[in-house]
Amino acid sequence: MKRLAVLLACAAFALPITVRAEEAAGTTKKDTYRFVIVPKVVHPWFDKVNNGAKAAAAALKAQTGANIEITYSAPQAADVVQQNQILDSALATHPDGLAVDLLDPSGNRASLEEAQSQKIPLVLFDSVPPQGMNITYIGSDFCEQAKIAARRLVKLLDGKGEVAIMMGVPTAPNHAIRAECHRKVFAENPGIKVVAEGIDNDSIETAQQQAASIMQAHPDLKGWVASDASGPTGIGQAIIEAGKQGKVALVGLDNMPEMLDMIRSGVADSSSASQPEMQGYWSVMMLWAQATGAPVPNYIDTGNAFLTKDNLPK
C-alpha cells in the first residue's frame, strides 16, 4: 500500500518515476546472438541481402561488443516445401532470430506460427505478412515500384502497343503485388494491351525461355516489365537473341549488375530498383532489437530508386 501511495502521489504532481534498468525495454543483453536469414532461392539479389545482414552484424559488434552470427540458408529452387524444410530445421536449433522472404504466405504460415509459439524474434524482408499475422516486415512499396516501371513503359510507347509482364513466382507476395500493379497501370491506358504474362519462378534461364516464346508468339510485342529480379535479365537475353534491340522496350526491376549493364548498353531503358543491402541490414537490426526486448515498428520502408543511363555510375 505504501508503494501504491507513492506512485499515486507522483502521478498527481506529474513527477517522473525512475524505472530500474532491468525493467527498461531493450536492456536484455547476451554475449552472442545467432540470426538465420532464409531467402526465396539461391540468387545474387539475395547475396546482396546477406551482405547487408553481415554489415549490420559488424556494426552491432562494434557498438555493443556482442558476437553476431549470421546463418544464411537459401533453397536451391523457389519451392515452398524446400523453404519450409529450411525454416523448420532452423527453428529446431532455437536461433535468436529468423528473417524470411516468403515464397507462399499460406504455405509458409505454419512455420511462421511455430516461430511465434517459440517466441523466436521474427521479421520478413522483401515480403508482407500473411493475413492476420503481426510480423515486422522490411522492404519497399512493391506496388509503387511496379507502377514506376509500368508508367515508364507506357511513356516510351506513347501510350499504345502490345506489352507483356514477367510475373516471377506468382505465390510470392511481392511478385504478386507488382504484377497486379503493372496490370492496373496498363488498364488505365486504353492504347496498351497486355498480350501475355510469363512465369519465371525467379530463374534467369526460365525467364529467357518464357520471353523468347512470348515474343515469337506475339511478333508485334512492343514492351516488357517484370515482377522479380531474374525476369529482366532473361528478357534482355531473349531480346538480344531475337535481334529486337531498339524494337522491344524493356523497363527492368532492381539493381543487379546484369540489369545495370543492359541499361548502359541500351538493351533496357531503365529499372525500378529496391535496395536489398538495406533490407538485410535492417532485418538484423530488428531481430536484435526484438532479442533485447525493445519495441519494433510494424514496417520499415527501404525505398525505391529509378535507374537510367543518366544516373548510373560509369
Side-chain angles (χ1 to χ4, degrees), residues 214-264:
I214 287 170
M215 287 192 293
Q216 186 173 17
H218 300 277
D220 294 328
L221 188 77
K222 298 300 182 185
W224 278 99
V225 290
S227 305
D228 66 329
S230 295
T233 301
I235 294 166
Q237 291 174 352
I239 288 173
I240 293 169
E241 290 169 4
K244 293 195 172 184
Q245 290 172 260
K247 299 176 183 177
V248 175
L250 168 60
V251 179
L253 199 82
D254 284 323
N255 62 351
M256 298 307 300
E258 297 87 350
M259 181 75 257
L260 305 186
D261 287 343
M262 287 192 297
I263 295 172
R264 292 187 184 100

Side-chain angles (χ1 to χ4, degrees), residues 68-305:
I68 312 292
E69 178 186 346
I70 303 297
T71 300
Y72 177 78
S73 189
Q76 290 299 312
D79 181 276
V80 70
V81 174
Q82 285 187 36
Q83 189 179 47
N84 283 337
Q85 288 172 344
I86 292 171
L87 292 174
D88 295 342
S89 295
L91 291 172
T93 68
H94 304 289
D96 295 295
L98 178 63
V100 190
D101 185 357
L102 302 182
L103 271 167
D104 183 336
S106 298
N108 291 130
R109 191 180 190 103
S111 296
L112 300 178
E113 289 175 341
E114 178 61 24
Q116 290 184 325
S117 73
Q118 293 186 31
K119 301 189 183 308
I120 292 173
L122 180 65
V123 301
L124 304 180
F125 63 93
D126 196 40
S127 188
V128 295
Q131 187 172 7
M133 296 195 76
N134 183 23
I135 305 172
T136 292
Y137 63 107
I138 298 150
S140 61
D141 184 330
F142 306 125
C143 186
E144 183 59 25
Q145 184 183 13
K147 286 182 175 180
I148 289 169
R151 288 168 182 154
R152 176 71 169 193
L153 184 59
V154 171
K155 183 177 179 180
L156 291 173
L157 300 182
D158 293 325
K160 54 184 181 295
E162 296 182 357
V163 301
I165 301 169
M166 192 66 74
M167 294 194 296
V169 182
T171 58
N174 57 337
H175 296 183
I177 290 168
R178 289 178 186 132
E180 181 58 28
C181 291
H182 285 316
R183 295 184 196 107
K184 286 180 179 178
V185 171
F186 294 143
E188 293 167 358
N189 293 271
I192 298 292
K193 181 180 180 182
V194 179
V195 295
E197 297 186 354
I199 297 173
D200 62 45
N201 286 318
D202 228 336
S203 162
I204 292 172
E205 181 181 0
T206 302
Q208 185 275 330
Q209 294 168 351
Q210 291 268 304
S213 296
I214 287 170
M215 287 192 293
Q216 186 173 17
H218 300 277
D220 294 328
L221 188 77
K222 298 300 182 185
W224 278 99
V225 290
S227 305
D228 66 329
S230 295
T233 301
I235 294 166
Q237 291 174 352
I239 288 173
I240 293 169
E241 290 169 4
K244 293 195 172 184
Q245 290 172 260
K247 299 176 183 177
V248 175
L250 168 60
V251 179
L253 199 82
D254 284 323
N255 62 351
M256 298 307 300
E258 297 87 350
M259 181 75 257
L260 305 186
D261 287 343
M262 287 192 297
I263 295 172
R264 292 187 184 100
S265 67
V267 175
D269 168 78
S270 52
S271 182
S272 181
S274 56
Q275 303 186 70
E277 293 91 347
M278 286 184 64
Q279 293 191 31
Y281 188 96
W282 287 106
S283 290
V284 168
M285 287 296 184
M286 290 301 97
L287 291 176
W288 176 77
Q290 289 181 59
T292 68
V296 295
N298 290 331
Y299 172 52
I300 293 179
D301 186 350
T302 52
N304 295 309

